Amino acid sequence: LSLSIFMAMDFCQSKIMEDRTKNKFFIIDECWKLMQNSFAASGVMKSIRTLRAYSTCVILGSQSIEELLSFDGGKYGATVLNNCATKILMSMKEQSATMVQDIIDLSDDETEMITKLKAGQGLLLAGETRSFISMTPSEAEKMLTFTDNETLEKYLDIKKQKEEEQKLQELYEESEDLD
């Protein structure tokens, strides 16, 4: 699996490198899967360094810091974390927070706080600046990203209603053309 993800990542990186003039985002979700193989993990580290020179913001996402740091004694995961200029740490279990504390130089207070964060809260690390933040998604963002059944059903109902309204509008416009 990590090889196929790596191949897709390499293709995207090639496309990004075609044009240095536009700002771009390169998002690798569930990046821990790539960090389970030394070849792919080296590729991720190289991508982070390379793509910065191509006006690209690289975003790495993972549900579990333990998985990111589990392969080869955490060598690759720690290197990736240390090469990220900006980090957002969401709620973590105490063991995970302690694991990250030394790698990114968190204070004891910061380490304790990230174990108490609620959904939508995080610790933003940008250079020497550290700030606790709260993120509230818009309704549209909720509809696109949340996976609970109630939100998905609501999204599908709204989508169906909009499609029906669009069809009615098209029928109305066709009838106007006939007059």
Side-chain angles (χ1 to χ4, degrees), residues 140-168:
E141 290 167 329
K142 283 183 189 178
M143 296 297 167
L144 292 172
T145 60
F146 282 48
T147 56
D148 64 276
N149 289 339
E150 184 179 324
T151 305
L152 288 172
E153 286 177 23
K154 185 177 175 184
Y155 170 75
L156 292 173
D157 287 344
I158 291 170
K159 184 178 176 183
K160 184 177 178 182
Q161 182 180 356
K162 285 183 179 182
E163 288 170 353
E164 289 173 359
E165 289 172 2
Q166 179 66 32
K167 285 179 186 177
L168 286 173

Side-chain angles (χ1 to χ4, degrees), residues 47-58:
S47 290
I48 291 169
R49 285 189 221 105
T50 303
L51 293 177
R52 287 189 288 196
Y54 289 86
S55 303
T56 304
C57 171
V58 179

Side-chain angles (χ1 to χ4, degrees), residues 97-157:
T98 303
M99 187 183 291
V100 171
Q101 182 176 17
D102 292 331
I103 294 170
I104 56 177
D105 198 29
L106 294 177
S107 70
D108 290 340
D109 288 340
E110 290 168 333
T111 304
E112 182 181 347
M113 287 297 292
I114 60 175
T115 65
K116 297 177 180 177
L117 296 172
K118 295 182 175 31
Q121 296 178 327
L123 173 61
L124 174 67
L125 307 168
E128 296 300 315
T129 303
R130 293 159 183 257
S131 181
F132 284 95
I133 58 173
S134 181
M135 299 160 279
T136 306
S138 67
E139 282 301 311
E141 290 167 329
K142 283 183 189 178
M143 296 297 167
L144 292 172
T145 60
F146 282 48
T147 56
D148 64 276
N149 289 339
E150 184 179 324
T151 305
L152 288 172
E153 286 177 23
K154 185 177 175 184
Y155 170 75
L156 292 173
D157 287 344

Side-chain angles (χ1 to χ4, degrees), residues 6-113:
F6 179 75
M7 289 172 60
M9 185 181 83
D10 187 57
F11 172 78
C12 293
Q13 181 174 320
S14 297
K15 288 294 186 188
I16 287 170
M17 292 171 66
E18 289 177 359
D19 185 359
R20 284 183 184 232
T21 63
K22 295 179 183 171
N23 292 331
K24 298 162 285 282
F25 288 92
F26 186 56
I27 302 170
I28 305 171
D29 196 14
E30 300 300 343
C31 66
W32 67 270
K33 290 180 182 179
L34 289 169
M35 306 311 285
Q36 303 301 306
N37 170 302
S38 58
F39 179 73
S42 294
V44 170
M45 291 188 306
K46 182 181 174 204
S47 290
I48 291 169
R49 285 189 221 105
T50 303
L51 293 177
R52 287 189 288 196
Y54 289 86
S55 303
T56 304
C57 171
V58 179
I59 299 173
L60 304 174
S62 182
Q63 295 282 332
S64 169
I65 198 75
E66 287 113 344
E67 291 170 335
L68 183 67
L69 297 170
S70 67
F71 180 69
D72 203 6
K75 173 176 114 179
Y76 295 103
T79 302
V80 166
L81 284 173
N82 287 320
N83 274 288
C84 295
T86 304
K87 302 164 194 66
I88 300 175
L89 303 176
M90 308 297 273
S91 180
M92 293 183 194
K93 295 177 184 169
E94 189 174 331
Q95 178 183 351
S96 301
T98 303
M99 187 183 291
V100 171
Q101 182 176 17
D102 292 331
I103 294 170
I104 56 177
D105 198 29
L106 294 177
S107 70
D108 290 340
D109 288 340
E110 290 168 333
T111 304
E112 182 181 347
M113 287 297 292

